[in-house]
Amino acid sequence: MEKAEFVVVANRLPVDHITGADGEQTWGRSPGGLVTALDPVMRNADGAWVGWVGQPDLDIEPFEFDGTHLVPVRLSAEDVELYYEGFSNDTIWPLYHDVIAAPRYSRVWWEAYQRVNRRFADAAAAVSAENAIVWVQDYQLQLVPQMLRQSRPDLTIGYFHHIPFPAYGLFSQLPWRRQVLQGLLGADVIGFQRVADAGNFARAVRRQLRYETKASGITVPNDDGTTRRALARAFPISIDASSYMQLARSEQVQARAVQIRESLGNPAYILLGVDRLDYTKGIQHRMKAYGELLDDGRIQVEDVTFVQVASPSRERVAAYIQLRDEIELAVGRINGDHDTMHHTAIRYLHQAYPREEMVALYLAADVMLVTALRDGMNLVAKEYVASRVDNRGVLVLSEFAGASDELGSAIRINPHDIGGLKDAIMRAIEMPAAEQGRRMRSLRRRVLEHTVEDWSRDFLQALDAFHGREETQ
């Protein structure tokens, strides 16, 4: 097999297994910002993508898809349970999201995480050409950079961390904190969503490993007594803004937006939440605020409808099962108290929708509620802004989402402050058209000036500075 000059390593391959009406199995491109961002890079570089196919116990040989060489990594049902559902999503995810849910520390999970990370690293090493560039993605694979550096010191290695990196007081609770830091420092460039995340990482490196950290980089010792420099900094991710704008301008999508309003009884205002069903998203907080506004009589169900799209997520993890029950109970109570024969207070949709339908929803919604308790970025906020080609609509945005660093013209809120959140919703509903236009134009300018293509280019340019360089002291 021909080796690749550019290799992406991610938990998932950029394709999904699709079963057709006739029962035939085919592959289709996965939705998502990462796939969109890297597609042109992969095509230009004739690259390879290493990842899991998304189903346990599938043995699939490497194959070509849409100009990219795909290298499947096999995970058993036990691997999925221990490495993915266990360590990745029941230890790392809650710990790195400020312990909104309690992380669990299991040595068996950690051993599985090490074992699976080694499998990904070996697959990447095998497919990489001499002096290739390898870009590792996200928290499921934090040990891969160091494993790659040990087996293939010729490689230039990047790592991007899509979720928050916690403050030292939280991170230090992880029993395997030193191993994780050393794993990440195998990379030449370690990217984060926010400046604060990069700072948290550097602080953890200083406190745990005693390495020198400066703005110019982190001094990392090599096994032979020399040192090298690793760069840790923020590279905020974005979206393919032009694709959202194109959809928002299409007659079919605009007609669908009108249909959505009609199907909801043509309320004066539609509030919208769009999230994966996850405890980090603050779905319960916005429902509580909305329910109290109805209770207080500040809004009427005939005038204001709340649509919540919550796509299924990690349905075998106990915390997510409990979260779904709690949210559905809250929806039932609010609707039971306030619904009329013709108007529903909350239209709750526990399913995923294609992009066309989401853009129609964005166009139909007067107010977008992004109330994350902690979020690396939150691309929904940017999708809403990109879709509002009419320069209308109001974005209510949590200060704890990475997007709030960039989207300064949103109404910023602390989702824990329910009173403040209620006031922000009322302010958004009552905002004059002129102020909406002023704010939305500013938001759109930021999203259009910094797209997902800019993100991947900025990261790879930083990585290029290390390519082929042997730096020792």
Side-chain angles (χ1 to χ4, degrees), residues 151-425:
S151 64
R152 290 289 304 274
D154 59 296
L155 299 176
T156 302
I157 304 165
Y159 171 90
F160 188 77
H161 196 74
H162 292 260
I163 69 172
F165 195 90
Y168 180 72
L170 293 175
F171 180 75
S172 62
Q173 297 175 26
L174 184 67
W176 309 281
R177 56 202 180 182
R178 291 175 66 89
Q179 293 97 311
V180 166
L181 291 174
Q182 287 166 336
L184 293 172
L185 286 170
D188 296 294
V189 178
I190 307 116
F192 298 92
Q193 300 280 24
R194 309 179 80 167
V195 172
D197 294 327
N200 287 342
F201 174 74
R203 200 166 298 113
V205 169
R206 284 197 303 273
R207 295 284 295 272
Q208 277 298 315
L209 304 179
R210 305 296 181 192
Y211 295 170
E212 182 182 61
T213 63
K214 295 180 178 178
S216 59
I218 299 170
T219 303
V220 184
N222 293 319
D223 293 337
D224 60 2
T226 60
T227 62
R228 62 182 183 85
R229 186 168 64 89
L231 179 66
R233 55 163 275 217
F235 298 87
I237 199 169
S238 194
I239 61 168
D240 177 15
S242 61
S243 69
Y244 284 90
M245 290 169 58
Q246 187 176 351
L247 281 172
R249 289 194 174 106
S250 78
E251 290 182 8
Q252 295 94 327
V253 170
Q254 291 180 2
R256 177 62 186 141
V258 172
Q259 276 183 349
I260 288 170
R261 291 195 77 98
E262 289 173 349
S263 70
L264 296 170
N266 275 320
Y269 304 99
I270 294 175
L271 313 181
L272 177 63
V274 174
D275 310 86
R276 273 190 318 102
L277 188 66
D278 194 286
Y279 50 74
T280 64
K281 302 298 184 181
I283 299 172
Q284 292 150 299
H285 295 64
R286 76 184 71 140
M287 285 186 176
K288 182 173 178 59
Y290 173 71
E292 287 190 11
L293 286 172
L294 287 169
D295 292 339
D296 299 344
R298 294 173 73 181
I299 59 174
Q300 305 299 320
V301 73
E302 294 85 358
D303 299 327
V304 184
T305 296
F306 175 30
V307 178
Q308 175 63 56
V309 177
S311 57
S313 174
R314 298 168 190 158
E315 295 181 285
R316 299 193 339 173
V317 178
Y320 290 79
I321 297 169
Q322 180 182 347
L323 175 69
R324 180 179 178 183
D325 289 345
E326 291 172 357
I327 287 175
E328 291 178 356
L329 188 63
V331 170
R333 282 177 175 162
I334 293 169
N335 284 346
D337 288 344
H338 296 285
D339 279 8
T340 68
M341 294 298 284
H342 301 291
H343 293 90
T344 296
I346 301 178
R347 185 66 62 86
Y348 173 70
L349 305 163
H350 182 243
Q351 50 203 282
Y353 290 95
R355 184 179 292 189
E356 293 81 3
E357 184 76 354
M358 294 313 306
V359 173
L361 268 169
Y362 293 149
L363 286 176
D366 302 284
V367 179
M368 184 81 215
L369 297 175
V370 178
T371 59
L373 308 180
R374 191 80 163 91
D375 216 336
M377 176 53 64
N378 194 287
L379 295 179
V380 163
K382 295 186 175 185
E383 291 171 6
Y384 179 71
V385 168
S387 300
R388 295 312 301 230
V389 292
D390 57 353
N391 287 319
R392 289 292 178 269
V394 183
L395 175 62
V396 176
L397 179 59
S398 168
E399 63 190 71
F400 304 122
S404 69
D405 289 353
E406 301 174 81
L407 303 181
S409 295
I411 297 179
R412 284 172 40 123
I413 52 100
N414 173 357
H416 300 285
D417 175 8
I418 301 299
L421 178 52
K422 289 162 65 178
D423 291 342
I425 291 171

Side-chain angles (χ1 to χ4, degrees), residues 7-12 49-52 73 75 83 87-88 92 96 110 112-128 133-161 176 178-190 228:
V7 179
V8 169
V9 190
N11 180 61
R12 287 292 302 274
W49 189 305
V50 175
W52 174 46
V73 173
L75 295 185
Y83 143 81
F87 195 81
S88 295
I92 293 295
Y96 283 28
W110 166 246
Y113 187 80
Q114 291 175 288
R115 184 172 65 248
V116 172
N117 270 239
R118 172 65 65 189
R119 205 175 304 156
F120 276 86
D122 289 347
V127 78
S128 297
I133 292 175
V134 180
W135 193 0
V136 183
Q137 305 289 334
D138 221 3
Y139 66 102
Q140 301 96 341
L141 303 175
Q142 294 176 101
L143 308 182
V144 168
Q146 184 191 37
M147 292 173 172
L148 273 176
R149 183 162 296 281
Q150 289 171 341
S151 64
R152 290 289 304 274
D154 59 296
L155 299 176
T156 302
I157 304 165
Y159 171 90
F160 188 77
H161 196 74
W176 309 281
R178 291 175 66 89
Q179 293 97 311
V180 166
L181 291 174
Q182 287 166 336
L184 293 172
L185 286 170
D188 296 294
V189 178
I190 307 116
R228 62 182 183 85

